[in-house]
Structures are given as C-alpha cells and as structure tokens.
Amino acid sequence: MLDLQKHLQSHFGYPDFRYPQRQIIEKVLNNKSLFALMPTGAGKSLTYQFTSTLTQKNELVLVVSPLIALMQDQSTKARDFKISSTYINSSLSAEEKQKRMQSIAEGQYQLIFVAPERFQKPEFWECLKSRQIKLFVVDEAHCISLWGHDFRPDYTKLQQYRERLGSPPVLALTATATEDVQQDILKMFLLDKNQDLILGGIERPNLSLNIFECYGEAEKNDQLLELLKSSSDTAENSSGIIYFSLIQTLENCSRFLQSAKIPHLKYHGDLPANIRRRQQEDFLKNKTPLILATPAFGLGVDKPDIRFVIHYEIPSSIEAYFQEVGRAGRDGETASGQFLFSEDDLSIQMQFLNWAYPESEFIAKVYDLISSRPDVVSQQGFDFLREQMVFKNKKDFRVNAAVSILLRWGCLEENDTPFGYQSVREPQKEDFELEDQNTLKKEHQKKLLALLRFIQNDKVCRLKQIYQYFSHQIEEDCGICDVCR
Ligand code: ADP
Ligand code: MG
C-alpha cells in the first residue's frame, strides 16, 4: 500500500496535504467519482497532478478546462513536478496540434489539458483510442450549470463524452457553486449528494471585507488614494488589484493615478495580447505591485501575497465578487477587500446586462455578416459589423457579445486576421435552445439583486452573508469586516 504522504513529500516537496486533498485522492485511487468544492487557492490542481503520477503505462489523466489562456501555465507547472504533460487548444498551429495528438496516440503523456470543444474533433477521439483514461477531470465545473455565473454550453455534453470514453471516474472541481449549481453538477455526472460530494469549505477567515458608499467619481478617487496610502503605510510594496467593469472607467482611473504619481499596470481586453501578458508578468514578479484590471484578469493567477483587492465598480454577482476578492491573501495572512460602491454604477450594470444577452435574430445576423462578407469583416472587424447592424448608442456592445457567444458555441473560431475570428458553422436551433439568452439575462438580474442586498445589509457580518449565499453555515462572525467593526 502506497504511503500517500511520503509520495507527496518525495514527488511534490510539500510536507503535508491540505484538507481535503487526501480525501479526494484516496477516493480517486479507488476508482470512485466525486465532486469537490474547494476555495480558490486551496490546491485543487494537486489532486489530479498527484493522480497522474500514479498512472500505469498507457493510462492518462484528462483535464477539461474552459480557461485556454491558462492551459500552458498549468501544463508547465505539472512538468515542474516531473509529470509528463501537455495541452491541446485553438492557440496552437494545426501542425503542433497534430504532433501532440500523434504523441498521445503513441502513449506519451500522463496528464493532458483540453477545452471542451476539443471533443468535437474526430482526430482527438482517434488519438485517445489507444489510451486508457484513468481520471476524467472537469475543472471549473460550475460552467455546466445555467445557474452558474459562467455557463458553457459545451460543458453540458461532458457526461456524454465521458460515457463514450468508457465511463472513467470523474473528478468535478470548482470553487464557486450555489446549491442549485451543486445539484446540476451532481445530476449531470450521476453522483450522490451524500457519498460523492466533498465540501472543502469556502471559508476565507483572513479576508476583511469592507464596503464604502461613495457619491460620484471624485469621492471614489479620494477614497481610493486613502486606501492605497494606508496599505503602503502598513507594508512596503504591498501588492493589490483594482477591478473595473468598464475599460473606459479603468482608463480614467489610470489617468487619475498617473496624475497622483502612483505607478501601476493595466490589464484589459483592448490591450494587445503580448502587452497584457507582460503586464501580468510584471505584476506577478512584483516589479510594479499595483494593477488595474477587468474581471478577465486573475483567473488562475496564483500570487500568494496579494494584500488587497479594490472594486472600483460593482461586479456582476456575489460569485464574481467573491472570486475576485478571493485572489487576495492566499498565503493565509490578513488581506482586504475594499468595495467602492456608488449607486450610479448599478445602472451601468443593468445596462450591461441588457447588451450582454442579445436576441437570437441579432446573433444570427452577426453570424451571417461574418460568413458572407469575410473579406471586409476580417479587415474592418467590429467597426464594420457595428455599422451594418446600425446602432447609435456607443455603449451598445451587443456585437461583441454576439461574437463571444458564437465563439463559445463553436460557430466561430479564432484566427490571426485583424478581426481575429472566422466562421465555422451556422448557429442551429439547438444552440439557441441550449443557451437561451433571455433565461440567462433573468438569472443574471437575480444575481445582481442578491449582490445589492449584500451591499445594503450592514447588520450581518459580510463573510457570513457570503457563506449563506453559498448555503454554507458558520458559527462565528469574522470580526474584521466593516459590519463587525
Ligand atoms: P486552486 O484550488 O485555486 O486551483 P491551485 O491548485 O492553483 O489552487 O493551488 C494553489 C497553490 O497551492 C499552488 O501554488 C500549489 O503549489 C499550492 N499547494 C497545493 N497543495 C499544497 C500542499 N499540500 N502544500 C503546500 N502547498 C500546496
Ligand atoms: Mg484551479
């Protein structure tokens, strides 16, 4: 019988497991399926990395993840532990993909990372034919559920794929799942709530959550300066993230900080990918400890010593808020979340919601334009599309929303034209049914309302309110949030 702890020490160099890593690994090694809910930074990756080091010849651990941008990093990290690992996704050239699939077919690799779209490709099934799947890992499993905050239609087919792979044990992992989402995950993989669910807790007792009600931008900026000053007073080079919903607000704030001579980095969708990457690296290496970012920043970013996260604008849900705040204090030391709330922002989010879930006809029309006018679209991209869809409101970003929906459905794929996308297949009735934009919009509105109730409830400990939202009970108040103090 293998001594798990010894193996952990010798192979990974960690003295001991964190709860509930051992429990998960023991089950998996007994070929049992399970769903584990563990907070961000708790060490979910170790559970499948560990399993992959115990694969027999020809066995492999297959990880499905929606986070294409992180796969390279995840696979490099695994290789640092001498795990033979790779990833296949749309960022690779056709040749490179081919090469990697060839190696998989030949029996190389213990651990591979793929996005769910990969299963739509016959070549991928072909290369797995000669391999035995020891464990089918579903990372960010909340993406299965329409009630989650990041629904991916491709995720709903994962159980089908798993069956086609001969029903290997599944390990579903996530950090954020409300009761509804948990139900969906259990149901999808035919798991039993009493036997196959491990709740690793979502507790983050070292986080001090604070809400500041502000009136207008000037007051926000004053508050911001004060927060930045007090954090640099407490610790030199203390590192932090400021989150924004809108790129425009981010840029305004950046100019303000510049005028106040506060050095900072920026990360958002309008910056070219190579610049974004460099900004992220500079932040991770602490060259500049402050970064202004949109929510895309931080997914899977593993920087243990972030001391504060500031929300300059209201996020879209409690899930999003807690995930973002949760990037602070992973080292277990005290860290803070500072939420600058202004009622005006609420209307921005409401409007945001309106544009984020366009009508079916709108999505279909955007697809038609992209597929019927590839020459113009590839060069003039969004400008052309917006012009054709004739709308005047500058903040109306339905075209962008439609493009990312089509991309998610696999109707578009990325390429290296100035526009960045090309048509693959027309959206079908099933696509529209599987992901009904109106249902999503309503769910999202409910989530925003729950967040608003959280902001306004200054009677109950902040952390307790969040735990309650995730159906998680605790006895004691945190003692360090604005309500407790
Ligand atoms: P998440 O649960 O958010 O996916 P990760 O798997 O990225 O978290 O792990 C976060 C960090 O915790 C990593 O840097 C990893 O090396 C570290 N870690 C994981 N397990 C242990 C352990 N048993 N002891 C010490 N550090 C660990
Ligand atoms: Mg993870």
Side-chain angles (χ1 to χ4, degrees):
M1 185 63 196
L2 174 78
D3 184 330
L4 296 182
Q5 190 176 353
K6 268 206 184 119
H7 185 70
L8 178 75
Q9 289 164 352
S10 64
H11 204 106
F12 293 89
Y14 298 139
D16 210 342
F17 289 106
R18 289 178 180 162
Y19 179 78
Q21 288 173 333
R22 174 190 276 277
Q23 286 70 6
I24 294 172
I25 291 167
E26 279 173 350
K27 270 199 132 207
V28 162
L29 293 179
N30 278 318
N31 293 321
K32 295 264 170 40
S33 290
L34 76 152
F35 165 30
L37 189 69
M38 284 162 78
T40 307
K44 289 185 277 296
S45 327
L46 181 93
T47 59
Y48 56 75
Q49 288 166 347
F50 193 98
T51 309
S52 74
T53 63
L54 300 173
T55 45
Q56 308 284 320
K57 199 165 174 269
N58 216 32
E59 283 181 337
L60 72 81
V61 171
L62 183 59
V63 182
V64 183
S65 156
L67 307 171
I68 291 184
L70 293 182
M71 280 180 195
Q72 180 169 10
D73 188 52
Q74 287 174 320
S75 138
T76 311
K77 275 197 185 134
R79 280 205 295 273
D80 291 344
F81 291 124
K82 303 210 167 49
I83 295 166
S84 161
S85 168
T86 195
Y87 64 96
I88 303 180
N89 65 31
S90 56
S91 74
L92 302 172
S93 69
E95 263 178 339
E96 186 58 34
K97 276 184 265 196
Q98 196 47 47
K99 209 172 99 192
R100 292 186 188 191
M101 283 190 279
Q102 177 79 28
S103 306
I104 294 172
E106 284 164 4
Q108 258 201 57
Y109 303 122
Q110 302 161 286
L111 177 64
I112 63 176
F113 295 87
V114 295
E117 305 83 85
R118 198 49 37 201
F119 294 102
Q120 289 169 11
K121 312 275 177 188
E123 318 84 272
F124 184 61
W125 287 99
E126 194 54 41
C127 86
L128 290 179
K129 243 184 182 165
S130 57
R131 304 295 302 268
Q132 179 90 28
I133 308 297
K134 184 178 175 73
L135 182 63
F136 187 75
V137 182
V138 180
D139 206 4
E140 314 293 340
H142 58 272
C143 295
I144 281 173
S145 172
L146 208 52
W147 321 128
H149 55 111
D150 198 8
F151 174 61
R152 309 278 169 136
D154 268 314
Y155 259 60
T156 58
K157 302 193 193 108
L158 290 179
Q159 172 62 12
Q160 246 164 282
Y161 299 149
R162 178 185 164 216
E163 280 166 17
R164 192 168 155 194
L165 287 167
S167 298
V170 64
L171 171 60
L173 298 167
T174 180
T176 48
T178 55
E179 193 88 27
D180 289 350
V181 177
Q182 291 177 28
Q183 293 289 356
D184 278 358
I185 295 171
L186 291 167
K187 201 166 136 208
M188 153 117 13
F189 295 116
L190 316 171
L191 300 174
D192 180 274
K193 185 172 180 163
N194 297 316
Q195 289 181 25
D196 312 324
L197 172 65
I198 294 189
L199 292 174
I202 53 163
E203 290 168 36
R204 297 294 310 276
N206 60 324
L207 284 182
S208 150
L209 303 180
N210 305 280
I211 293 178
F212 299 88
E213 184 124 13
C214 305
Y215 297 90
E217 198 165 290
E219 202 179 315
K220 261 192 199 172
N221 285 340
D222 287 346
Q223 190 67 53
L224 180 64
L225 282 187
E226 212 162 289
L227 288 171
L228 292 175
K229 190 170 172 304
S230 75
S231 81
S232 66
D233 284 351
T234 25
E236 207 182 319
N237 237 1
S238 146
S239 109
I241 310 175
I242 311 178
Y243 276 111
F244 300 82
S245 329
L246 301 174
I247 295 175
Q248 198 190 344
T249 325
L250 186 157
E251 287 293 349
N252 287 344
C253 181
S254 167
R255 277 190 289 277
F256 168 75
L257 290 177
Q258 234 165 1
S259 68
K261 304 220 161 25
I262 297 179
H264 58 274
L265 302 160
K266 290 189 288 192
Y267 187 102
H268 60 68
D270 280 357
L271 296 170
N274 59 335
I275 305 267
R276 273 202 310 256
R277 211 172 309 127
R278 201 166 334 126
Q279 302 272 313
Q280 174 164 332
E281 266 165 34
D282 286 353
F283 180 69
L284 291 179
K285 290 187 187 134
N286 254 346
K287 275 194 188 157
T288 308
L290 180 65
I291 192 160
L292 277 51
T294 49
F297 178 76
L299 284 174
V301 166
D302 182 22
K303 186 175 188 334
D305 62 348
I306 296 174
R307 290 275 70 82
F308 62 90
V309 166
I310 297 174
H311 280 90
Y312 193 95
E313 287 175 300
I314 183 171
S316 62
S317 61
I318 292 184
E319 285 97 320
Y321 169 69
F322 196 51
Q323 202 162 58
E324 285 156 13
V325 168
R327 302 204 169 108
R330 287 191 174 197
D331 54 9
E333 306 286 319
T334 305
S336 69
Q338 316 283 0
F339 189 153
L340 310 180
F341 174 67
S342 150
E343 257 178 44
D344 306 342
D345 298 347
L346 203 62
S347 58
I348 294 177
Q349 272 294 345
M350 294 298 276
Q351 210 180 42
F352 196 79
L353 274 179
N354 270 329
W355 305 136
Y357 301 102
E359 309 271 312
S360 307
E361 299 78 54
F362 189 96
I363 300 174
K365 195 162 170 214
V366 168
Y367 182 83
D368 282 346
L369 281 168
I370 297 173
S371 69
S372 63
R373 310 282 305 273
D375 296 345
V376 205
V377 174
S378 67
Q379 292 310 310
Q380 298 176 21
F382 286 106
D383 289 340
F384 173 76
L385 293 173
R386 289 177 60 94
E387 195 185 289
Q388 293 296 307
M389 304 295 297
V390 278
F391 40 80
K392 298 172 189 83
N393 188 340
K394 262 180 116 176
K395 288 193 181 134
D396 182 343
F397 64 93
R398 272 178 297 169
V399 169
N400 306 62
V403 167
S404 48
I405 291 165
L406 288 163
L407 187 66
R408 194 158 65 214
W409 291 355
C411 299
L412 298 180
E413 67 185 12
E414 292 182 51
N415 66 9
D416 46 16
T417 59
F419 176 48
Y421 310 96
Q422 67 195 36
S423 57
V424 181
R425 63 161 184 88
E426 203 170 326
Q428 308 292 314
K429 201 163 146 246
E430 293 147 43
D431 296 312
F432 292 110
E433 280 169 2
L434 197 55
E435 192 186 314
D436 176 51
Q437 300 302 312
N438 238 331
T439 314
L440 285 184
K441 191 201 273 181
K442 288 209 187 95
E443 279 310 307
H444 202 153
Q445 279 163 343
K446 279 191 215 154
K447 285 183 193 298
L448 189 58
L449 253 138
L451 179 61
L452 191 64
R453 274 197 296 274
F454 162 74
I455 294 167
Q456 288 172 337
N457 184 351
D458 55 7
K459 301 283 180 297
V460 180
C461 162
R462 297 285 178 201
L463 214 50
K464 214 174 205 170
Q465 288 189 53
I466 292 199
Y467 292 164
Q468 274 164 2
Y469 180 75
F470 290 110
S471 316
H472 181 82
Q473 305 303 332
I474 47 160
E475 299 288 310
E476 307 233 332
D477 290 350
C478 76
I480 50 176
C481 68
D482 60 341
V483 177
C484 287
R485 281 184 288 111

